[in-house]
Amino acid sequence: MLKFAGALLLVAAGTLLGWMNAGRLAERPAQIRRLVRLLSQLETDIAYGLTPLPEALGRIGRQASEPLASLFRSAAVRLERDGMAVSDAWRAALEGVWELTAMKNAEKEIMLSLGNTLGATDRDDQVRHLRLAVKQLESLEPEAAEEQRRYEKMWKSLGLLGGALVAVILY
Amino acid sequence: MPESVLGLLPAAIAAGLARLPGEVLGGLEEIRIREGRPLEIVTALGSRFVSASGELSASPAGAYRPTRDDCVRLLDRLSNHSLYALEEELRRGYITVRGGHRVGIAGRAVLERGAVRHLRDVTCFNVRIAREVPGAAAPVLPHLIDPATGMVRHALIVSPPGCGKTTMLRDLARQLSYGPETGRGRWEGRRVSIVDERSELAACVGGVPAFDVGPRTDVLDACPKAEGMMMMIRAMSPEVLVVDEIGRPEDAAGIREAMLSGVRVLASAHGGGFADVAARPVLGELVRERRFDRYVVLGRRTAGGQRIDVLDEQGRLLTAGVGTGRTGADGERRDGRPAGGIAGTGGRRRADADVRERADAEARERSALRREAGLPC
């Protein structure tokens, strides 16, 4: 009886693992789309509102949903409270938050390089860099969607079957 | 030195400056930061270089040399991490920060159709520390109020950069607003409007003046002067209008307009003296039209004090060396009489006699001018 319960637990754990991986795959294109929207909003704030960067980041941080909200919020706090330079604050915020997102290194690199120019150049240049980042992120989205299509089902079945396999072997 | 300045500077520079003796920090006028070149401070006594450990020296040898990183960080903080929001400031070459301090910047200009559009590679900073000096205008105030009618005279304050024009103008606004106290008793307070294009006079933070500019004073912050003067006249019905650093053609038009509206105007302009102002194209026109009743010329500050001359509408010296307790270098009036400085040799009675005598002379001269112009006297 105890053995059977253990086997059930193994299958359940395997399934859960598969679902979590599949969930990350499904989350990634959605988060990229959200990030693109937030960056466009930042572009508007910078180009038309001439809003100071800490204020603009803070506002986006309040409107966005987690985990991206904490990225903008923590960058704003680091600028305002700690007086860090933009590139440092942006990098620290990315390092702190990235683990919580479903996005990969390619997206992180784009965001990191955006941090080097954010706030430090004139308006036209800011718009150029933000649009470049948006374009690069958008180009990653089909790839992420393709990955989702290909591997989402696979991860789900793999988790269930893997759990079952281990249960059978140990039974 | 105010905290607001120290908080702006990069850590390495702030650390050196924080170790300076208190009296040096208290008298600090400028901090000059240039990438790769020695860190310099300017006080009333002159310029000194500062080492990383806060030692002062007249020679640049042991001084701290700000790095590129220092400059990038400083610009980042000066701009509140938002250089894109400062296009106008970069075009003009200075940024006014919290507390009214003005930071002049220089680097490499980016041109667009021949006009400066932007500055990049900013590597030179001049942090000018703004200070409130209540009473700075006391020595000249009696000259700017007509003793008979109590009317404020149109006046232009002239000096080279860094000699206290803005400080004096700010204190004039404050005193006129509170109700000025002169030798003839206390005058009533005036409604004062300040058009503060550079945010230096009142140092507004979020629209509220950081400096005391008086209880009857309205401030229009960061507005172009010419447009701002008309807005204030229409909106706030001022008795006295205060503007800093005039010089563009539209400023002159605004000033004429304001004077013809019955508003008294106090303004300031760059220049070494009356002759400089008269030679400048736009200001010279105002001078020839005799728009200003008085010119206040501020000299360089030295250890012995500062020379302040007051001139009449034709540029004739009325008093020299006001406020320093000594007569100015050219102790002669243009008309050959010795210059009796009010704070120097002459007592009140003598000054009064002087004023009457001068008024008579002015009246005679005016009627002569009118005769020349073919007008009835």
Side-chain angles (χ1 to χ4, degrees), chain A residues 127-161:
Chain A
V127 170
R128 263 198 298 279
H129 277 97
L130 279 163
R131 290 204 178 142
L132 176 68
V134 161
K135 224 179 221 153
Q136 285 173 327
L137 285 172
E138 276 172 343
S139 75
L140 287 176
E141 201 213 311
E143 181 201 310
E146 172 67 19
E147 252 180 44
Q148 177 197 359
R149 195 182 58 77
R150 258 206 253 161
Y151 299 120
E152 191 184 9
K153 274 214 183 101
M154 186 201 79
W155 268 112
K156 281 184 190 165
S157 7
L158 202 67
L160 176 69
L161 294 175

Side-chain angles (χ1 to χ4, degrees), chain A residues 23-99:
Chain A
R24 276 179 90 87
L25 278 177
E27 229 350 72
R28 188 175 163 219
Q31 283 188 358
I32 292 178
R33 278 197 298 275
R34 276 210 294 274
L35 190 56
V36 162
R37 238 187 357 257
L38 295 179
L39 289 183
S40 310
Q41 196 181 332
L42 185 61
E43 182 196 315
T44 313
D45 277 351
I46 285 177
Y48 300 103
L50 293 181
T51 320
L53 197 59
E55 200 181 306
L57 292 177
R59 191 188 305 162
I60 291 174
R62 279 192 297 279
Q63 290 167 358
S65 57
E66 292 294 346
L68 293 178
S70 21
L71 167 66
F72 288 90
R73 217 173 31 231
S74 73
V77 167
R78 283 183 162 93
L79 289 180
E80 253 169 338
R81 201 195 52 204
D82 309 339
M84 285 168 86
V86 177
S87 56
D88 298 343
W90 189 250
R91 180 179 298 272
L94 278 171
E95 299 292 353
V97 171
W98 209 252
E99 287 302 304

Side-chain angles (χ1 to χ4, degrees), chain B residues 9-27:
Chain B
L9 301 174
I13 296 174
L17 290 175
R19 292 202 196 100
L20 291 175
E23 69 268 19
V24 175
L25 280 181

Side-chain angles (χ1 to χ4, degrees), chain A residues 51 53 84 88 119 122-123, chain B residues 73 81-84 87 117:
Chain A
T51 320
L53 197 59
M84 285 168 86
D88 298 343
D122 65 32
R123 192 152 44 147
Chain B
R73 271 164 208 278
H81 315 291
S82 320
L83 210 57
Y84 53 82
E87 279 174 15
R117 199 183 87 92

Side-chain angles (χ1 to χ4, degrees), chain B residues 17-50:
Chain B
L17 290 175
R19 292 202 196 100
L20 291 175
E23 69 268 19
V24 175
L25 280 181
L28 211 53
E29 287 174 1
E30 291 180 358
I31 305 166
R32 288 173 167 273
I33 297 161
R34 305 173 177 101
E35 183 185 322
R37 280 155 289 168
L39 175 64
E40 183 194 356
I41 60 165
V42 179
T43 65
L45 303 176
S47 130
R48 287 283 179 281
F49 296 105
V50 186

Side-chain angles (χ1 to χ4, degrees), chain B residues 236-315:
Chain B
M236 308 312 289
S237 65
E239 292 168 272
V240 180
L241 193 61
V242 177
V243 285
D244 203 6
E245 297 191 8
I246 56 168
R248 286 175 302 193
E250 60 265 33
D251 298 344
I255 281 183
R256 278 190 201 104
E257 202 58 39
M259 287 175 170
L260 292 174
S261 319
V263 178
R264 318 307 293 179
V265 177
L266 299 177
S268 73
H270 285 300
F274 179 78
D276 287 354
V277 173
R280 283 173 63 179
V282 174
L283 290 172
E285 240 170 75
L286 290 174
V287 170
R288 279 186 293 282
E289 292 167 20
R290 303 217 176 139
R291 297 281 173 187
F292 292 105
D293 302 323
R294 290 291 179 272
Y295 296 89
V296 178
V297 181
L298 309 181
R300 290 248 172 241
R301 266 182 294 234
T302 56
Q306 183 179 24
R307 182 169 172 194
I308 304 175
D309 296 343
V310 180
L311 282 60
D312 72 0
E313 76 274 15
Q314 297 177 45

